[in-house]
Amino acid sequence: MFLIPTIVAFLYELFLAIPFVGGATVLATGFGTVTLAFIIHIVVLVTRFAVGGSKAVPIIAIFLTIFTFIPFIAWFCHAIIAIMYLVDLIFSRPKVNQYTR
């Protein structure tokens, strides 16, 4: 339950960080993709509360998503969020429930 929302958020932010493709997608949808990114980060945060994982990356991602409405700062924010989720996926492990061993 911990990995799937994080992987989805990482891949989505990675797509939006592609310079012309991500920017064209954001403009074509009328910033609907940025709103969807905000919702995805909230879902990741809620799952982290349920599972007990680290909440730092989704909180920072929610904060940075607010700044992605500024056109030239958006690429940098999406790239930073994608890198943070990648590092989070590599170095964090979900807590194992003692009853499932």
Side-chain angles (χ1 to χ4, degrees), residues 3-84:
L3 289 175
I4 299 208
T6 306
I7 291 171
V8 167
F10 165 68
L11 292 175
Y12 193 72
E13 287 295 334
L14 188 65
F15 173 75
L16 291 178
I18 299 172
F20 294 109
V21 176
T25 305
V26 169
L27 292 176
T29 60
F31 289 91
T33 53
V34 176
T35 306
L36 181 60
F38 187 77
I39 293 169
I40 288 173
H41 300 314
I42 290 174
V43 168
V44 172
L45 182 62
V46 168
T47 13
R48 298 283 177 97
F49 273 112
V51 173
S54 171
K55 295 153 193 73
V57 174
I59 290 173
I60 295 170
I62 289 169
F63 179 72
L64 285 176
T65 303
I66 295 169
F67 290 108
T68 58
F69 287 100
I70 304 170
F72 295 106
I73 297 175
W75 175 83
F76 182 72
C77 289
H78 288 302
I80 293 296
I81 293 169
I83 291 169
M84 287 189 323

Side-chain angles (χ1 to χ4, degrees), residues 78-95:
H78 288 302
I80 293 296
I81 293 169
I83 291 169
M84 287 189 323
Y85 272 124
L86 179 63
V87 169
D88 189 42
L89 281 168
I90 292 172
F91 291 112
S92 70
R93 294 185 180 163
K95 294 181 180 180

